[in-house]
């Protein structure tokens, strides 16, 4: 029997959050953490979490498993369970709505700030804006982000300044559009990032790289933004 | 764009650059002073070293770098932990006080350092 400890909080009935211990029979199989949650929910329907695709594509079930953020649906027990114990908590640093569900408004507000869409003031061509294979290659490792918030909610700089520091996820997206050959708003984008918080609150501790379920590297993207700011200003 | 009126140079890039440049100067200074000390030095040699203008300039540069480096670093620490988000309006008052006290300490050290270096 797997010993699971789940963070429970229902603001309508609980005065404060508490940890609930549950025993789960995994049948000796190396299940995914999401499967364990489904087993628990089949016994106690009040346990609340977000989920959708169950294959690491939608980014709904980001949570903190045994102290490390990740997607429950693609994290096998063998990867996270130590001494037969699994502790599940909501993503750190974000307000809890209920149990493992967090309010992502602050995270999305930062995403919105980087204007995550192509801006191009040249006349649109008849069919589409072409890109060479080399130009397209620059977007690899950037476009794959699914906005699960595992990285930003693992970042201390984001915990302390979620309203001013854009965070690893937003900055990875910022660089995705700075690096795009079809975008012509590089100057405006960079001008908005040159303050002491938006980019420069990153101290390069790489928690984001450590937790990203898609194996992306926001720290490297932030370094590229910094270099772009530097070459623009010197 | 986030505004920050108390940071070193208002621009994040400027602060970042100053932090790096001052770090290199401090490293060079401490390696140099460390080498001098390791090679053995008596009072007369130490006094002779510090009476040369280039050494005074180098020391003043290191002193200014220390003040600058400390300001950028502490500013980041204060704006992380002493904030309105964490403690309400008290955070703003505490942060401003902490920044004022550290600025005063750094200024004092720089002026005092100049006094010592030039034997005023």
């Amino acid at each position: 029997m797997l010993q699971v400890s789940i963070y429970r909080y229902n603001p309508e009935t609980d005065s404060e959050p508490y940890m609930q211990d549950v025993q789960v029979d995994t049948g000796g199989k190396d299940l995914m953490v999401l499967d364990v949650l489904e087993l628990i929910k089949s016994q106690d329907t009040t346990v609340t979490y977000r989920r959708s695709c169950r294959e690491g594509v939608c980014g709904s079930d980001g949570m903190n498993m045994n102290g490390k953020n990740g997607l429950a649906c693609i994290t096998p027990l063998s990867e996270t369970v130590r001494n037969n114990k699994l502790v599940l908590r909501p993503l750190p640093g974000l307000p809890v709505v209920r149990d493992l569900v967090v309010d992502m408004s602050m995270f999305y507000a930062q995403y919105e700030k980087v204007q995550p869409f192509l801006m191009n003031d040249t006349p649109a061509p008849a069919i589409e804006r072409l890109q060479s294979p080399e130009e397209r290659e620059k977007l690899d490792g950037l476009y794959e982000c699914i906005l699960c918030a595992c990285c930003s909610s693992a970042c201390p700089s984001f915990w302390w300044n979620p309203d001013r520091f854009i965070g690893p996820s937003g900055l990875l997206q910022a660089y995705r559009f700075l690096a795009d050959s079809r975008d012509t708003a590089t100057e405006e984008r960079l001008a908005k990032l040159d303050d002491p918080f938006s980019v420069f609150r990153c101290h390069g501790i790489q928690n984001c790289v450590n937790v990203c379920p898609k194996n992306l590297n926001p720290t490297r993207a932030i370094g590229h933004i910094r270099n772009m700011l530097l070459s623009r200003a010197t | 764009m986030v505004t920050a009126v108390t940071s070193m140079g208002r621009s994040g890039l400027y602060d970042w650059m100053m932090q790096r440049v001052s770090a290199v100067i401090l490293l060079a200074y401490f390696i140099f002073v460390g080498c001098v000390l390791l090679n053995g030095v008596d009072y007369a040699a130490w006094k002779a070293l510090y009476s040369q203008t280039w050494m005074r300039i180098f020391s003043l540069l290191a002193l200014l770098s220390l003040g600058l480096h400390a300001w950028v670093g502490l500013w980041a620490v204060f704006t992380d932990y002493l904030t309105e988000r964490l403690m309400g309006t008290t955070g703003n008052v505490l942060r401003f006080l902490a920044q004022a006290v550290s600025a005063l300490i750094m200024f004092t050290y720089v002026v005092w350092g100049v006094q010592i270096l030039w034997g005023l």
Side-chain angles (χ1 to χ4, degrees):
Chain A
M1 297 291 265
L2 178 69
Q3 309 287 328
V4 186
S5 178
I6 308 182
Y7 180 99
R8 300 298 308 268
Y9 179 55
N10 179 351
E12 284 166 19
T13 55
D14 304 329
S15 57
E16 56 182 37
Y18 62 96
M19 297 302 289
Q20 184 186 21
D21 290 319
V22 193
Q23 298 221 332
V24 181
D25 181 11
T26 57
K29 284 186 241 163
D30 188 14
L31 301 174
M32 295 295 174
V33 173
L34 182 64
D35 298 327
V36 174
L37 273 169
E38 300 281 298
L39 285 171
I40 295 169
K41 198 170 175 73
S42 67
Q43 320 231 323
D44 178 356
T45 52
T46 65
V47 175
T48 310
Y49 49 90
R50 285 196 185 104
R51 59 146 299 167
S52 183
C53 76
R54 62 99 186 93
E55 55 185 10
V57 173
C58 73
S60 303
D61 62 353
M63 60 183 70
N64 187 278
M65 298 165 286
N66 279 347
K68 189 177 174 187
N69 291 354
L71 297 177
C73 55
I74 53 168
T75 305
L77 292 177
S78 56
E79 203 176 274
T80 179
V81 171
R82 295 287 173 269
N83 301 321
N84 203 37
K85 182 111 176 120
L86 177 63
V87 182
L88 299 176
R89 290 173 184 273
L91 289 175
L94 296 172
V96 174
V97 175
R98 184 171 163 167
D99 296 349
L100 300 175
V101 177
V102 289
D103 179 0
M104 311 250 286
S105 328
M106 287 192 296
F107 175 78
Y108 292 136
Q110 294 300 345
Y111 178 53
E112 219 177 305
K113 261 197 208 170
V114 306
Q115 299 178 287
F117 41 82
L118 281 178
M119 292 193 276
N120 193 322
D121 49 16
T122 60
I127 304 174
E128 59 194 345
R129 292 188 197 278
L130 296 176
Q131 228 176 5
S132 71
E134 292 75 32
E135 287 168 337
R136 169 61 188 76
E137 219 167 75
K138 287 186 182 157
L139 308 182
D140 287 342
L142 304 170
Y143 80 92
E144 297 95 328
C145 174
I146 55 171
L147 298 175
C148 63
C150 285
C151 60
S152 291
S153 64
C155 174
S157 288
F158 188 75
W159 296 341
W160 311 138
N161 287 295
D163 48 347
R164 295 187 279 188
F165 174 49
I166 289 176
S169 170
L171 289 170
L172 186 88
Q173 291 306 308
Y175 184 61
R176 181 247 171 277
F177 289 96
L178 284 168
D180 198 311
S181 61
R182 297 162 298 178
D183 190 279
T184 56
T186 309
E187 178 55 35
E188 294 97 290
R189 291 179 187 277
L190 288 175
K192 283 183 189 161
L193 296 173
D194 185 19
D195 63 77
F197 282 100
S198 301
V199 175
F200 290 94
R201 202 30 72 112
C202 168
H203 299 308
I205 63 165
Q206 303 189 34
N207 273 17
C208 50
V209 183
N210 185 36
V211 298
C212 179
K214 309 299 275 185
N215 294 320
L216 306 178
N217 192 328
T219 308
R220 191 189 297 144
I222 295 169
H224 285 310
I225 298 179
R226 201 182 278 144
N227 288 344
M228 287 179 90
L229 283 166
L230 200 59
S231 41
R232 166 180 172 264
T234 46
Chain B
M1 193 75 166
V2 180
T3 45
V5 78
T6 49
S7 78
M8 185 75 218
R10 312 302 170 269
S11 135
L13 186 68
Y14 180 84
D15 284 11
W16 179 83
M17 183 87 151
M18 285 300 117
Q19 186 84 322
R20 265 70 194 169
V21 171
S22 58
V24 171
I25 293 170
L26 285 172
L27 185 70
Y29 187 75
F30 285 115
I31 287 177
F32 174 73
V33 171
C35 287
V36 171
L37 288 175
L38 283 175
N39 285 331
V41 67
D42 55 11
Y43 175 75
W46 190 250
K47 195 169 188 304
L49 175 66
Y50 274 86
S51 59
Q52 297 174 75
T53 306
W54 69 267
M55 185 58 192
R56 287 175 176 173
I57 292 173
F58 191 20
S59 302
L60 182 63
L61 193 65
L63 198 59
L64 289 171
S65 297
L66 186 71
L68 223 121
H69 196 86
W71 178 256
V72 176
L74 284 174
W75 185 84
V77 173
F78 294 149
T79 48
D80 264 356
Y81 301 114
L82 301 176
T83 60
E84 195 169 355
R85 269 185 63 77
L86 292 180
M87 14 178 134
T89 340
T90 327
N92 291 339
V93 177
L94 280 179
R95 188 174 70 251
F96 191 79
L97 282 177
Q99 285 168 347
V101 168
S102 41
L104 187 67
I105 293 174
M106 287 161 213
F107 182 69
T108 308
Y109 273 127
V110 169
V111 175
W112 190 13
V114 169
Q115 212 177 15
I116 293 169
L117 283 169
W118 271 269
L120 298 172

